[in-house]
Amino acid sequence: MEKNKGSKTDKWGVWMQRLLESLVEKHRPAAREGKLAEYIPELAKQDSRLLGMAVVDRAGKMHTAGAYRDRFTLQSISKLIALMIALMDHGEEKVFSKVGMEPTGDPFHSIYKLEIAREAKPLNPMINAGAIAVSSLIQGGSVEERVERILHLVREMADNPGIDINRSVYQSERDTADRNRALAYFLKGSGVIDDVEETLDVYFRQCSICVDCRDLARMGLCLAQNGISLRGKRVIPGDIARLAKTFMVTCGMYNASGEFAIRVGIPAKSGVSGGIMALVPGRMGIGVFGPALDKKGNSITGVRLLEDFSKKLGLSIF
Ligand code: GLN
């Protein structure tokens, strides 16, 4: 009996492994249709042809393919981590007095809605304006302490104490962030944040946290298990993990979140480095990396890979 069970599991493992490898091969050529995030000079140096994927299940079994060992920065994926810490620090009422809960049809770095809305509150925490407002809420005695708290949660979710910041990406973004600076000054002018430079420093550093696909897969699994890490440790309160997953569905892929929900149907959060953290509730965490981006700033190969993977396994939560 046991033996049979073992061989069945192995067959599944081999099938999964082959599936991931074939999907990576199939979708890698589409990188030609995308573009690197050139507005951050250090990200423009990435190899646009890379594509990698890692999938981890509740038992910790990890399947990987392609560039799964290559490292990249969290970028917007960090917005989700910062949001969870701000919620742990202040609770929903305070956080959502500074930032809304509604998706936007505008690009992630848009300033447009801030000016025309009745309240100058950013629409949601997954666009840059909203994320900057959230970073201003993270508690700590200094920028370093505040960033260390974000790093700590990323390390706990990923079960990887070695995760750190990529300083070249941090400096590159800090030196070229005119648009984010404009957003931050606008938010200060409207009374949403107090200190522009400190807040931006936290934001740039959280965006520069460096991971690989396996880290993202384990982080996704932690959310899939409502805040319990692979090692069985509760690292996020259950209600906050649920709230984060809801934002992944409604706003996680910027202004492509609706299409992604229809085509792929699982919670996901992307970043302009080409990373996507995704999950299937109660079942698995998924990490994808493909730095060539589509027009909305999502990994062009990563989205196609996830769509194919989700359809083949019937993963849509809807
Ligand atoms: N650091 C990036 C920025 O602020 C993050 C944006 C993103 O990943 N969409 O522009």
Side-chain angles (χ1 to χ4, degrees):
M1 228 14 216
E2 269 313 298
K3 205 166 166 237
N4 276 343
K5 205 173 153 210
S7 65
K8 209 169 149 195
T9 314
D10 289 342
K11 267 193 201 153
W12 162 254
V14 171
W15 182 83
M16 256 306 247
Q17 188 60 39
R18 291 214 180 112
L19 175 66
L20 294 198
E21 280 163 12
S22 69
L23 291 179
V24 165
E25 284 311 310
K26 177 175 164 191
H27 293 289
R28 200 181 356 233
R32 278 196 303 265
E33 297 164 45
K35 274 187 86 168
L36 292 168
E38 280 160 3
Y39 74 100
I40 300 177
E42 204 60 25
L43 296 187
K45 293 184 190 161
Q46 295 188 111
D47 180 350
S48 64
R49 295 161 305 181
L50 294 176
L51 180 60
M53 183 177 194
V55 178
V56 65
D57 67 15
R58 294 172 67 104
K61 182 84 190 135
M62 177 85 74
H63 296 285
T64 53
Y68 71 90
R69 282 198 206 92
D70 283 66
R71 298 169 66 70
F72 52 92
T73 47
L74 284 181
Q75 298 302 329
S76 276
I77 300 169
S78 72
K79 291 171 177 165
L80 206 62
I81 317 300
L83 172 67
M84 293 192 287
I85 297 176
L87 284 165
M88 291 186 229
D89 283 352
H90 302 280
E92 285 183 37
E93 202 177 320
K94 168 90 189 264
V95 171
F96 295 120
S97 72
K98 301 274 181 197
V99 62
M101 302 182 195
E102 296 303 334
T104 163
D106 302 323
F108 63 82
H109 49 25
S110 176
I111 201 163
Y112 167 70
K113 290 263 165 54
L114 283 183
E115 210 187 359
I116 60 163
R118 229 178 326 123
E119 251 183 317
K121 188 163 107 171
L123 270 176
N124 71 66
M126 300 296 118
I127 52 172
N128 285 14
I132 292 168
V134 167
S135 297
S136 80
L137 293 172
I138 292 177
Q139 285 181 339
S142 62
V143 168
E144 284 73 19
E145 246 181 72
R146 292 161 70 191
V147 175
E148 200 49 46
R149 293 186 59 224
I150 303 176
L151 260 173
H152 180 72
L153 182 54
V154 171
R155 289 171 181 152
E156 293 257 84
M157 289 175 74
D159 276 325
N160 179 358
I163 291 175
D164 220 324
I165 285 172
N166 179 326
R167 291 208 59 90
S168 322
V169 174
Y170 158 63
Q171 276 158 5
S172 178
E173 180 163 1
R174 191 193 55 191
D175 295 345
T176 56
D178 298 325
R179 193 152 185 137
N180 282 328
R181 221 162 244 118
L183 288 172
Y185 276 105
F186 198 98
L187 291 173
K188 185 175 180 215
S190 324
V192 178
I193 70 171
D194 292 327
D195 191 315
V196 166
E197 286 308 322
E198 267 199 11
T199 302
L200 284 178
D201 209 14
V202 173
Y203 175 76
F204 299 146
R205 291 186 206 218
Q206 74 184 49
C207 287
S208 308
I209 294 174
C210 196
V211 295
D212 67 19
C213 289
R214 293 165 295 185
D215 294 320
L216 281 191
R218 283 189 297 262
M219 290 164 73
L221 182 75
C222 178
L223 286 170
Q225 305 191 126
N226 277 331
I228 297 178
S229 74
L230 189 55
R231 271 189 300 156
K233 184 172 172 193
R234 170 153 306 281
V235 296
I236 306 157
D239 55 336
I240 292 181
R242 258 190 297 279
L243 199 151
K245 281 185 287 186
T246 315
F247 271 120
M248 290 171 85
V249 170
T250 57
C251 313
M253 304 299 282
Y254 321 120
N255 47 334
S257 299
E259 187 177 344
F260 189 88
I262 288 179
R263 291 188 193 279
V264 190
I266 58 174
K269 180 74 205 88
S270 65
V272 286
S273 54
I276 304 176
M277 175 178 75
L279 63 98
V280 183
R283 281 180 64 187
M284 63 176 86
I286 304 168
V288 173
F289 170 54
L293 306 179
D294 63 21
K295 290 204 169 64
K296 293 186 172 172
N298 294 312
S299 167
I300 192 160
T301 46
V303 170
R304 293 183 194 188
L305 182 62
L306 282 172
E307 179 178 350
D308 216 348
F309 183 68
S310 171
K311 289 197 167 132
K312 286 230 158 52
L313 272 74
L315 298 178
S316 173
I317 62 169
F318 299 106

